[in-house]
Amino acid sequence: MTTHLLEVDGASKAFGGVIANKDISIKVPEGKIIGLIGPNGSGKTTLFNSIVGSHPIDAGSVRFQGQEISQMLVPEIARLGMLRTFQQTRIYGKMTCIQNMLISMPHRNTTVTHMFGKFSAPDHEKVERLLEFVGLYSKRTLLAGDLSFGQQKLLEFAMALMNDPKLLLLDEPTAGINPTLINGLIDRLKKANAEFGVTLLVIEHNMRVIMNLAEHIYCLAHGEMLAEGIPTEIQNDQRVIEAYLGAH
Ligand code: ADP
Ligand code: MG
């Protein structure tokens, strides 16, 4: 039997008169890489926000490891093992890569001034190992703000891995990244999935990337589920093609 790490069932969310998500259901099996695509404004980020607890859904349910989490807040859900990254990176530009990595561990949550003495040798070893994993070891003492945007996204990915997430939600990980870095990032995502067992739910606008990465894809349009299937099915789905071309 397949274990579903995440199950969203009939989730709806409106902002005033705008229905951002209507009756959305998705399943994310443990250990897989699942894609979420759709034109701009189709409700992808809203669904992520609902899943991770940034805002509650109006109707429906969200279950993580079988537990209802739709009324929980972000820190509680993070402690259960679910984290997300953002379309725009959220790193501290005036801190080094190593410092960003250290403060990404929420259980060491304390004021920045007092915190750096609290980290153990294993923490530092893990920081170095993960910076190496994403290819940023040689940049470890640089200020994060001096990295390229693509490198900042790799850093943000490594910061999420510091917390050993069971499920990681990535919001457009390749957006704004130099094409030469994109293949490297895809390889890292696949490697994290294979080696660390992190299940991934990935929002992606780049069709080539998601076809290469995900084994099952959901496609939203106008806040509703338009199609789902394996990459070749989605690629050849006339409704998906039309949604992306803006035809109705
Ligand atoms: P996507 O990530 O697919 O581009 P979003 O989920 O960001 O789409 O947006 C879906 C719709 O919901 C858009 O019409 C957007 O303007 C609206 N929306 C998203 N978040 C908010 C918010 N916090 N307040 C009001 N409207 C929002
Ligand atoms: Mg978005």
Side-chain angles (χ1 to χ4, degrees), residues 47-84:
L47 184 61
F48 266 25
N49 288 335
S50 297
I51 292 171
V52 300
S54 294
H55 56 51
I57 47 179
D58 303 329
S61 74
V62 181
R63 283 187 300 277
F64 183 60
Q65 297 181 300
Q67 181 181 3
E68 180 63 44
I69 59 164
S70 59
Q71 301 306 316
M72 287 186 187
L73 300 172
V74 173
E76 290 175 85
I77 293 174
R79 273 195 295 276
L80 294 176
M82 190 200 302
L83 289 178
R84 62 94 59 91

Side-chain angles (χ1 to χ4, degrees), residues 15 18 20 39-46:
F15 299 104
V18 178
N40 275 332
S42 58
K44 306 180 297 296
T45 297
T46 299

